[in-house]
Amino acid sequence: QQQVKQSPQSLIVQKGGIPIINCAYENTAFDYFPWYQQFPGKGPALLIAIRPDVSEKKEGRFTISFNKSAKQFSLHIMDSQPGDSATYFCAAWFPGTYKYIFGTGTRLKVLA
Amino acid sequence: GAGVSQTPSNKVTEKGKYVELRCDPISGHTALYWYRQSLGQGPEFLIYFQGTGAADDSGLPNDRFFAVRPEGSVSTLKIQRTERGDSAVYLCASSLVAGGPGNEQFFGPGTRLTVL
């Protein structure tokens, strides 16, 4: 299975809240898991990424938690701001290919 | 330098017509990718170029879709006999070299194709 399942489809939080977006995969051959942020009218931009041999990675206010045994990973946004309002996509990379498999996206709205 | 650019930003056409979508990658990037993003979905891989050659076209949905990159820089995605189901945002991305980790793909803003 080369799918990545993402939830929730949409999310609304207050400023300062910690939205959490979850992804799950089936194929244990996936070897790299990036998160992309997409603003309306723009292409996706790489936000943060993790390899499966690491359980957590932090970059600024963004944290990925990775659970290899459960084949799940999640994005946490600390102290969320209205400027974080965007669509977030998880993705997975399959070794030996040059393409990413994307989740269906989560539309995040952070209220001021 | 400039990022990945795509033209046109919007294209409206009628069912059965032929369209061309253009991508200008970041200068010096050898790898170029096309993705299709349908409404409410994530990008879906179409084709990947390494230099001038299509190294992986496994994502092209059918033979109405074709892409070229004749000089290893600009790429054109061509769609013949367009159908309403082809309506989507077509994204182009480029990377310095091909591959996954450490070879970030930089995306353009996309071309929104609407087939009436």
Side-chain angles (χ1 to χ4, degrees):
Chain A
Q1 279 282 41
Q2 291 196 31
Q3 285 185 327
V4 179
K5 296 182 179 180
Q6 183 171 348
S7 63
Q9 189 173 29
S10 64
L11 192 52
I12 300 175
V13 299
Q14 295 286 340
K15 178 183 173 183
I18 305 176
I20 301 173
I21 304 170
N22 302 298
C23 284
Y25 63 97
E26 288 295 324
N27 194 329
T28 55
F30 285 133
D31 192 47
Y32 178 66
F33 300 88
W35 284 90
Y36 285 82
Q37 179 186 56
Q38 185 176 29
F39 293 104
K42 304 291 186 183
L46 179 64
L47 192 60
I48 185 173
I50 197 166
R51 302 295 294 265
D53 54 348
V54 175
S55 61
E56 184 176 275
K57 184 173 182 180
K58 291 183 180 180
E59 285 187 6
R61 295 184 295 107
F62 300 92
T63 299
I64 301 177
S65 297
F66 194 90
N67 185 330
K68 188 173 181 178
S69 61
K71 293 184 283 187
Q72 296 175 348
F73 58 108
S74 59
L75 177 70
H76 303 232
I77 306 175
M78 307 302 177
D79 187 28
S80 58
Q81 301 296 314
D84 297 329
S85 297
T87 299
Y88 292 81
F89 294 96
C90 61
W93 175 73
F94 193 66
T97 72
Y98 304 99
K99 58 189 175 186
Y100 289 95
I101 308 297
F102 284 83
T104 51
T106 296
R107 183 176 290 187
L108 171 67
K109 186 174 179 67
V110 181
L111 302 175
Chain B
V4 177
S5 62
Q6 293 185 246
T7 54
S9 55
N10 282 284
K11 176 70 177 178
V12 180
T13 191
E14 294 180 343
K15 180 176 179 294
K17 299 289 188 181
Y18 168 83
V19 297
E20 289 189 352
L21 312 179
R22 176 187 168 109
C23 172
D24 280 85
I26 293 172
S27 178
H29 279 195
T30 63
L32 185 145
Y33 315 80
W34 284 98
Y35 290 83
R36 179 168 68 177
Q37 186 173 20
S38 300
L39 191 63
Q41 300 296 315
E44 181 182 3
F45 171 83
L46 295 176
I47 187 170
Y48 149 67
F49 286 90
Q50 178 59 51
T52 60
D56 183 353
D57 64 357
S58 61
L60 294 178
N62 52 59
D63 61 5
R64 295 187 297 106
F65 288 74
F66 189 71
V68 295
R69 194 185 185 200
E71 298 179 356
S73 178
V74 170
S75 176
T76 305
L77 178 65
K78 308 180 180 192
I79 310 174
Q80 299 177 321
R81 304 184 305 279
T82 51
E83 299 178 357
R84 293 193 180 87
D86 298 335
S87 297
V89 174
Y90 289 83
L91 294 166
C92 176
S94 70
S95 61
L96 189 59
V97 294
N103 296 308
E104 181 182 351
Q105 294 184 20
F106 294 86
F107 284 83
T111 293
R112 181 177 297 278
L113 175 66
T114 303
V115 182
L116 301 177

